[in-house]
Amino acid sequence: MPDRMARAECAVIATALGPVEVALAEQGPPVLALHGGMGGFDQGLILAEAVLGGASAGRGAFRVVAPSRPGYLGTPLGAHLRPEAQADLHAALLDRLGLGPAVVIAVSAGGPSALAFARRHPGRCAGLVLVSTCTGRLDVPARVRARLPMLRAMSRVPGLLPLMAWLTARQPERAARASILDPEECRRTLADPEAGPLLRALQESVLRKAAARLPGTANDVAVFAGLPEHPQGPMGVPVLAVHGTGDRVVPFAHAERLKAADPSVELMAVPGGEHVCLLTHMAQMRERVRAFLARLPLA
């Protein structure tokens, strides 16, 4: 089990805009970790572990705030359909926790609400770290969309998804090859003492409580298809965007368009990197993130 998952405290917190399920880990400057599709607070903790590692930028630990976004696990979808409404809910959560400006780290489908948070609540956002994120209109690939009704049907069969999770744990390389095409890179990532356990935890988490992850995922797919293609700019806060040029889920063009809209955005292009480049190229990403965080005026 990844370190932050083992140390985290999880609860459903009542905010001014509604209940939010959130995991909290460690102390220090706050980091809001926003998960992607088929995610939840558990994947937010995996994201934080992958991006931050241990003591980032020599600052020691961070106060990781990993919510389940609306429609995921214990956070109801309610009226929080669009990124702007989700961003306001993120701000309400930080208010309820009494936390000051936070660094926001987002992956994949967490991108739109992270961007909206920075625009709508700039005084609450110390900076953005975007990893393989959607930044505008996204037509989800057919092979990815096809998994949703399949998972919905599988969730209705008692014991089937726990069995699938068990098989995934027993055959991690077979599961990982769906996300990492290169066999050698797949084996190297799974063998890494830090990236390997995180990748396995990520793979297994999708199949745990899958039915409770589907409403948020389906909402993301529907809403993202109607977003403007090009992001607004400039952002108004420091931004580091990490994106693989070989991403088959969220094309690299999403990072390029963000950079075009705001030339101040730092872009770390990962040559040939896929959607899980945060794990396949974790050491390089962490080094760039440490340098980025070192320049932020964190409390």
Side-chain angles (χ1 to χ4, degrees):
M1 179 182 292
D3 286 348
R4 280 191 174 85
M5 293 181 71
R7 297 192 297 266
E9 300 175 0
C10 185
V12 175
I13 292 180
T15 78
L17 297 180
V20 179
E21 180 183 46
V22 61
L24 304 169
E26 302 173 279
Q27 296 295 328
V31 168
L32 182 66
L34 302 178
H35 62 83
M38 287 303 294
F41 72 88
D42 50 354
Q43 291 187 21
L45 292 171
I46 292 170
L47 167 67
E49 189 79 20
V51 173
L52 298 174
S56 297
R59 296 176 183 273
F62 286 88
R63 177 60 158 168
V64 174
V65 180
S68 296
R69 292 192 295 111
Y72 290 91
L73 297 181
T75 302
L77 183 57
H80 304 293
L81 306 180
R82 295 193 56 80
E84 295 82 4
Q86 296 193 11
D88 292 346
L89 188 62
H90 301 332
L93 173 62
L94 293 177
D95 285 343
R96 180 67 178 78
L97 294 172
L99 296 176
V103 175
V104 181
I105 300 177
V107 66
S108 191
S113 68
L115 292 167
F117 178 80
R119 294 187 187 285
R120 294 170 71 85
H121 305 278
R124 309 302 306 279
C125 184
L128 290 179
V129 178
L130 306 175
V131 186
S132 307
T133 56
C134 168
T135 63
R137 187 173 70 230
L138 177 66
D139 295 318
V140 176
R143 62 182 177 79
V144 177
R145 289 199 310 271
R147 295 175 189 166
L148 300 184
M150 179 182 68
L151 284 168
R152 190 173 289 110
M154 291 170 65
S155 69
R156 299 190 184 108
V157 180
L160 181 55
L161 287 178
L163 174 61
M164 296 293 293
W166 180 81
L167 290 172
T168 296
R170 299 271 294 183
Q171 300 174 315
E173 185 171 345
R174 181 176 179 179
R177 285 296 304 278
S179 301
I180 307 173
L181 287 181
D182 184 274
E184 179 54 37
E185 185 164 78
C186 183
R187 285 190 289 270
R188 175 183 58 78
T189 303
L190 284 168
D192 185 278
E194 289 191 85
L198 291 171
L199 178 55
R200 288 190 289 272
L202 182 64
Q203 291 173 167
E204 294 166 27
S205 70
V206 172
L207 296 171
R208 290 196 303 270
K209 300 183 179 179
R213 304 177 195 269
L214 287 169
T217 305
N219 178 69
D220 286 345
V221 170
V223 169
F224 294 177
L227 293 178
E229 183 175 6
H230 295 278
Q232 302 172 9
M235 287 301 305
V237 301
V239 181
L240 169 64
V242 180
H243 215 114
T245 63
D247 194 324
R248 295 171 291 137
V249 178
V250 180
F252 181 63
H254 280 253
E256 292 181 306
R257 290 173 191 147
L258 185 66
K259 175 72 173 175
D262 183 354
S264 71
V265 168
E266 279 189 54
L267 176 56
M268 177 184 175
V270 181
E274 298 190 63
H275 196 55
V276 292
C277 68
L278 81 162
L279 297 174
T280 58
H281 296 75
M282 193 169 70
Q284 301 97 304
M285 177 193 63
R286 283 179 175 177
E287 182 178 359
R288 189 70 175 265
V289 169
R290 281 195 294 269
F292 176 76
L293 294 177
R295 296 194 296 272
L296 300 182
L298 304 180

